[in-house]
């Protein structure tokens, strides 16, 4: 119960901080700029895991047993699309807010049950797809800024993480796990980028390492981290 209370407090604080920072973005001096981002999302091997433990108690027909999840292939490379508002605080410091959608291609898993009374050891095949929608407040700090700019970037995020699972079974089984689930977790990201001032718009290439469930994970909940490589256009 105390863990649940602490998680709720952590989420509320994270949302409050993001709201405060977005208000600062709207009220601070400097020109407000709008842009789009998109590109490649490269997940860690745990991205599409929909189970907290590898071994689960299952019921096959009327027989109780223990099943083991086997990873055939973890989530493959995905993509992301988003929109961003940014504002210069000084000549070398920008703050920005963003809403982005990340989709990670299906990870493949099997559930194997080892029991003398079963003729088939692999009883189910799973395909898990994960989407992450981060609400982001970040800062870009320029090391160099002329026609070509070089900057470091960092952000705080509040992430909505959803996993949907398609599966095929060989026998009637009962699983004590969620096959479709959405959770929300605070996270962060850090990276670097380079941009080019093309007069009509700013073209940027950025690489960032993202931790989507840094805070508030449940016991056994896998870390869902990923690298985003983005191409951005700001007007």
């Amino acid at each position: 119960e105390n863990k649940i209370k602490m998680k709720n407090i952590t989420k509320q604080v994270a949302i409050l901080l993001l709201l405060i920072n977005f208000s600062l973005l709207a009220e601070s001096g400097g020109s407000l700029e709008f842009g789009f981002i998109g590109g490649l999302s490269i997940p860690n091997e745990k991205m599409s895991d929909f189970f907290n433990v590898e071994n689960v108690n299952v019921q096959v027909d009327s027989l109780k047993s223990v099943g083991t999840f086997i990873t055939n292939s973890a989530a493959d490379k995905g993509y992301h699309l988003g929109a961003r508002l940014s504002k210069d605080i000084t000549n070398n410091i920008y703050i920005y807010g963003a809403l982005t959608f990340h989709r990670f291609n299906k990870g493949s898993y099997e559930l194997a049950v080892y029991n003398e009374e079963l003729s088939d050891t692999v009883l189910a095949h799973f395909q898990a797809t994960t989407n992450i929608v981060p609400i982001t407040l970040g800062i870009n700090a320029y090391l160099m800024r002329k026609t070509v700019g070089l900057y470091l970037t960092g952000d705080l995020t509040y992430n909505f993480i959803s996993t949907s699972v398609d599966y095929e079974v060989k026998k009637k089984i009962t699983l004590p796990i969620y096959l479709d689930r959405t959770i929300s977790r605070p996270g962060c990201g850090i990276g670097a980028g380079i941009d080019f001032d093309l007069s009509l718009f700013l073209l940027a290439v950025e690489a960032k390492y993202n931790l989507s469930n840094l805070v508030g994970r449940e016991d056994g909940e896998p870390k869902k981290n990923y690298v985003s490589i983005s191409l951005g256009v700001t007007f």
Side-chain angles (χ1 to χ4, degrees):
E1 184 177 344
N2 289 333
K3 286 185 177 180
I4 294 174
K5 288 182 179 179
M6 184 57 67
K7 289 176 183 177
N8 290 333
I9 292 173
T10 302
K11 291 178 182 179
Q12 291 169 5
V13 170
I15 293 174
L16 180 60
L17 288 175
L18 288 174
L19 289 174
I20 291 173
N21 283 302
F22 271 116
S23 68
L24 291 175
L25 177 64
E27 295 176 4
S28 60
S31 58
L32 190 64
E33 299 174 345
F34 177 75
F36 298 98
I37 56 174
L40 188 65
S41 299
I42 305 172
N44 68 349
E45 62 181 6
K46 298 294 185 180
M47 177 58 69
S48 288
D49 284 7
F50 58 93
F51 44 88
N52 287 356
V53 292
E54 291 186 359
N55 298 317
V56 294
N57 293 319
V58 298
Q59 182 169 314
V60 185
D61 296 329
S62 59
L63 180 66
K64 291 184 179 181
S65 189
V66 176
T68 302
F69 287 104
I70 302 171
T71 302
N72 289 337
S73 62
D76 202 354
K77 298 179 182 68
Y79 65 87
H80 64 274
L81 297 169
R84 175 183 291 183
L85 285 174
S86 59
K87 180 174 287 191
D88 58 319
I89 302 302
T90 69
N91 288 335
N92 295 319
I93 301 295
Y94 267 65
I95 59 173
Y96 67 88
L99 180 66
T100 314
F101 173 82
H102 294 260
R103 184 176 182 87
F104 297 94
N105 298 329
K106 291 181 178 179
S108 177
Y109 307 90
E110 291 180 345
L111 178 68
V113 177
Y114 300 98
N115 191 298
E116 293 179 356
E117 297 185 34
L118 297 174
S119 58
D120 296 316
T121 56
V122 176
L123 298 181
H125 295 272
F126 300 87
Q127 295 282 343
T129 302
T130 298
N131 300 323
I132 298 180
V133 179
I135 301 172
T136 304
L137 194 287
I139 185 169
N140 290 346
Y142 279 83
L143 305 176
M144 177 184 71
R145 191 180 181 199
K146 294 182 180 179
T147 304
V148 176
L150 180 64
Y151 63 90
L152 301 177
T153 185
D155 62 42
L156 295 175
T157 58
Y158 193 75
N159 303 278
F160 296 92
I161 307 168
S162 62
T163 299
S164 58
V165 181
D166 297 322
Y167 64 97
E168 297 179 357
V169 295
K170 293 184 179 181
K171 292 181 179 290
K172 184 180 179 181
I173 61 175
T174 301
L175 291 173
I177 57 176
Y178 296 101
L179 295 182
D180 293 281
R181 191 183 184 197
T182 298
I183 59 176
S184 55
R185 301 283 188 266
C188 67
I190 187 170
I194 184 171
D195 60 27
F196 305 89
D197 190 348
L198 303 180
S199 297
L200 294 179
F201 58 87
L202 195 71
L203 181 67
V205 179
E206 182 179 289
K208 188 164 57 176
Y209 185 72
N210 305 275
L211 299 90
S212 63
N213 57 345
L214 177 65
V215 179
R217 289 193 306 273
E218 297 176 354
D219 292 341
E221 180 180 324
K223 296 179 181 178
K224 296 180 182 293
N225 305 332
Y226 59 95
V227 173
S228 56
I229 301 175
S230 307
L231 181 67
V233 177
T234 302
F235 300 96

